[in-house]
Amino acid sequence: MPNDYDSIAEGYSTENETSLLNAYYERPAMLDLAGDVAGRRILDAGCGSGPLFAALRDRGAIMTGFDASAKMLELARQRLGDDVPLHLADLSSPLPFPDAAFDDVVASLVLRYLEDWTAPLAELRRVLVPGGRLLVSVNHPFADFLQAEPGTSYFATRSSSDEWTLGGHTAVLTFWSRPLHAMADAFTGAGFRITAISEPAPAPGAREVFPEAFVDRPSGKFLSFLFFVLQTD
């Protein structure tokens, strides 16, 4: 992936620990969808500094992770321990794992960095056992459309770049947006069945910690990410 997280790794990791979108929305939603993971072999695809990895391990999962950022992996090892199976790998390339090595894969906000999902999804399916699950979070396509430049087509697969400054360091990150049907077509084309699509509310306590974010949201819900549970045959 072209995005360089090394320069902002520490600042991003710190932000991720307590932010509304990560700590009170995306991560709790992924854990809810994962359910009872005790004894399940789970691959954390794009594990970053390891917060989801740690939470799943605390629930009894047997965890492995990889990330394309060496600095993120360094932070993950500080969190998780030096003996934890963490790998420097890129989802846009073949993965260093044997066939049918995992019961589940979690892919948190990682597919949004890829223009073409075909080979990455094929790799994730390859490393899953028959009947295994792929849990995915992505930017909500309609939320992306609402934030796009006037005249942008919802139905286009398109890139956008944002400048993120975290921890005193700046990086330009490029994201890919695509419509819902294109996501569904990619998943089914890779041999997955879509067993759940979720647009959850944030975790309990979010409103108390971030009251300003809910002033115009009396229902407590908002558009940000979209979640899928996919299953192999």
Side-chain angles (χ1 to χ4, degrees), residues 23-189:
Y24 287 85
Y25 189 66
E26 194 276 338
R27 198 152 55 246
M30 290 291 277
L31 292 170
D32 286 346
L33 291 173
D36 182 4
V37 296
R40 294 183 71 85
R41 300 166 301 163
I42 299 181
L43 175 64
D44 190 345
C47 63
S49 62
L52 182 59
F53 187 120
L56 290 166
R57 187 176 67 173
D58 288 346
R59 288 160 172 76
I62 303 163
M63 296 299 298
T64 301
F66 73 86
D67 202 273
S69 166
K71 182 61 178 178
M72 283 291 192
L73 290 178
E74 178 184 323
L75 296 174
R77 290 189 179 96
Q78 292 174 17
R79 179 199 302 268
L80 302 167
D82 290 336
D83 58 342
V84 170
L86 294 171
H87 303 262
L88 184 64
D90 192 322
L91 190 52
S92 63
S93 303
L95 299 176
F97 309 110
D99 295 356
F102 302 101
D103 302 302
D104 298 320
V105 174
V106 291
S108 287
L109 304 177
V110 64
L111 290 177
R112 62 182 181 170
Y113 300 114
L114 301 172
E115 178 181 8
D116 188 349
W117 288 4
T118 306
L121 288 175
E123 274 294 275
L124 295 178
R125 189 178 189 280
R126 178 186 66 79
V127 303
L128 279 167
V129 299
R133 301 181 303 169
L134 171 59
L135 281 67
V136 174
S137 61
V138 293
N139 285 20
H140 197 295
F142 193 62
D144 274 358
F145 173 64
L146 291 176
Q147 296 169 9
E149 294 292 327
T152 298
S153 171
Y154 167 81
F155 297 100
T157 295
R158 61 199 185 279
S159 65
S160 61
S161 295
D162 287 331
E163 186 176 272
W164 287 11
T165 299
L166 294 163
H169 298 276
T170 299
V172 177
L173 303 179
T174 298
F175 307 91
W176 288 88
S177 303
R178 68 203 72 219
L180 178 58
H181 79 269
M183 297 181 186
D185 289 348
F187 294 144
T188 57

